[in-house]
């Protein structure tokens, strides 16, 4: 049963995210009690009036756990009204990645129009969201990808330039005339991190959003001192817990971009609910190009 400030959502689609992968391994910083049902984000229909929503409202929501199910109870602050015409599959792929990218680029990096943004993992859910949101903000986007298929996803997500992982630092130098980029969006970490730092222009900002590459890198702060650059942590879920009204304000900023089509998550595979474990494995094995979804209804 839902709590007093929760909304009961009948799930239509659920988005599969990298935090789902980590939580099923017990390696995410937020560890639910066992047993639990994964599922960070969903789209669906409100079952009963609650928290300002009416029965029958179409919504996207961030339950953080429990989304890979037919029905889920979600805190009212994490339920978002859908603009007309947004299909259920795309709606399920919106909340976590686009709210996180918005927090990273707008609040943390304070991105300005005309700046250059380098995005790692640009064909993944968070990377594609960062590409679209940065491009919609008037930035020039350089996407880093590992395969030609992922390059196409990044271009479709608004990247102006696409470069391969191997040698990306040299390509950035060439594309920027040696200046470097103003912002690096890095959900990958690992051994590419040092070259990301070296790709920053003076007073550039490197946003740390996660470590899908597996290795947690370290920073030689002497370089930050000499180049006047900044490394910033981006932990959106932790801030949302402290500022529960923030996700709703962010969503209101995103709605005009959703309506216009400036942001629309690229969809890869859609699997039935009984194949939810296979959907999580697809992310875990780095095979996803575009979002992986689970169809519930």
């Amino acid at each position: 049963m839902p709590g007093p400030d929760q909304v009961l959502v009948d799930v239509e689609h659920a988005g599969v995210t990298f935090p789902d992968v980590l939580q099923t391994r017990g390696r995410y910083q937020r560890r639910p009690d066992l047993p639990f049902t994964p599922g960070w984000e969903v789209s669906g229909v409100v079952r009963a009036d609650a928290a300002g929503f009416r029965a029958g409202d179409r919504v996207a929501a961030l339950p953080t756990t429990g989304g890979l199910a037919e029905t889920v109870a979600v805190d009212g602050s994490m339920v978002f009204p859908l603009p007309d015409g947004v299909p259920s599959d795309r709606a399920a792929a919106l909340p976590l990645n686009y709210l996180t990218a918005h927090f990273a680029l707008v609040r943390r990096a304070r991105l300005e129009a005309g700046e250059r943004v380098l995005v790692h993992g640009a064909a993944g859910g968070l990377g594609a969201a960062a590409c679209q949101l940065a491009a919609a903000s008037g930035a020039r986007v350089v996407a880093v990808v590992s395969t030609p298929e992922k390059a196409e996803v990044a271009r479709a997500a608004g990247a102006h330039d696409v470069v391969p992982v191997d040698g990306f630092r040299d390509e950035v130098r060439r594309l920027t005339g040696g200046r470097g980029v103003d912002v690096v969006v890095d959900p990958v970490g690992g051994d590419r991190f040092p070259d990301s730092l070296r790709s920053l222009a003076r007073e550039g900002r490197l946003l740390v959003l996660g470590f899908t590459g597996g290795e947690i890198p370290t920073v030689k702060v002497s370089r930050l001192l000499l180049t006047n650059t900044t490394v910033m942590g981006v932990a959106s879920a932790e801030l949302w817990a402290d500022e529960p009204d923030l996700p709703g304000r962010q969503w209101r900023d995103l709605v005009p971009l959703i309506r216009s089509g400036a942001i629309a998550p690229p969809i890869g595979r859609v699997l039935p609910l009984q194949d939810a474990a296979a959907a999580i494995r697809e992310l875990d094995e780095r095979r996803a190009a575009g979002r992986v979804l689970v169809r519930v209804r």
Side-chain angles (χ1 to χ4, degrees), residues 6 16 50 62 85 106-107 135 158 172 192 203 215 227:
Q6 290 189 313
V16 181
L62 268 175
V106 175
R107 178 155 169 170
V172 168
R192 67 181 72 180
E203 296 187 86
E215 179 186 344
T227 57

Side-chain angles (χ1 to χ4, degrees), residues 1-8 49-53 73-79:
M1 292 297 293
D5 297 316
Q6 290 189 313
V7 178
L8 202 59
D49 296 0
F53 291 90
V74 189
D75 291 344
S77 63
M78 291 295 196
V79 182

Side-chain angles (χ1 to χ4, degrees), residues 114-206:
E115 291 191 308
R116 290 181 182 267
V117 179
L118 180 72
V119 180
H120 286 288
L126 182 53
C131 287
Q132 289 186 345
L133 191 56
S137 300
R140 182 154 188 104
V141 179
V142 182
V144 181
V145 298
S146 58
T147 69
E149 180 186 16
K150 291 181 178 181
E152 291 306 311
V153 173
R155 289 190 183 95
H160 301 91
D161 301 290
V162 179
V163 300
V165 172
D166 294 336
F168 76 85
R169 177 189 171 194
D170 292 336
E171 285 297 300
V172 168
R173 183 183 295 113
R174 181 184 64 81
L175 289 168
T176 63
R179 177 184 177 275
V181 296
D182 301 289
V183 176
V184 173
V185 177
D186 186 8
V188 178
D191 57 8
R192 67 181 72 180
F193 189 83
D195 279 346
S196 292
L197 275 177
R198 296 185 182 100
S199 298
L200 286 173
R202 185 179 63 250
E203 296 187 86
R205 295 88 79 198
L206 194 159

Side-chain angles (χ1 to χ4, degrees), residues 272-292:
L273 182 59
Q274 60 265 32
D275 292 336
I280 292 175
R281 281 197 301 272
E282 184 151 333
L283 260 68
D284 191 19
E285 296 169 1
R286 311 293 194 273
R287 291 184 282 113
R291 289 302 309 274
V292 177

Side-chain angles (χ1 to χ4, degrees), residues 211-280:
F211 313 106
T212 63
E215 179 186 344
I216 299 177
T218 57
V219 179
K220 290 187 176 181
V221 295
S222 59
R223 180 168 187 85
L224 307 183
L225 173 66
L226 294 173
T227 57
N228 288 297
T229 50
T230 304
V231 176
M232 296 181 174
V234 180
S236 52
E238 284 69 21
L239 193 70
W240 294 333
D242 292 336
E243 297 186 31
D245 62 332
L246 177 60
R249 299 201 310 269
Q250 291 182 266
W251 186 261
R252 288 190 288 274
D253 286 347
L254 293 178
V255 164
L257 299 176
I258 297 170
R259 285 199 177 108
S260 71
I263 59 175
I267 305 301
R269 294 190 67 195
V270 181
L271 286 78
L273 182 59
Q274 60 265 32
D275 292 336
I280 292 175

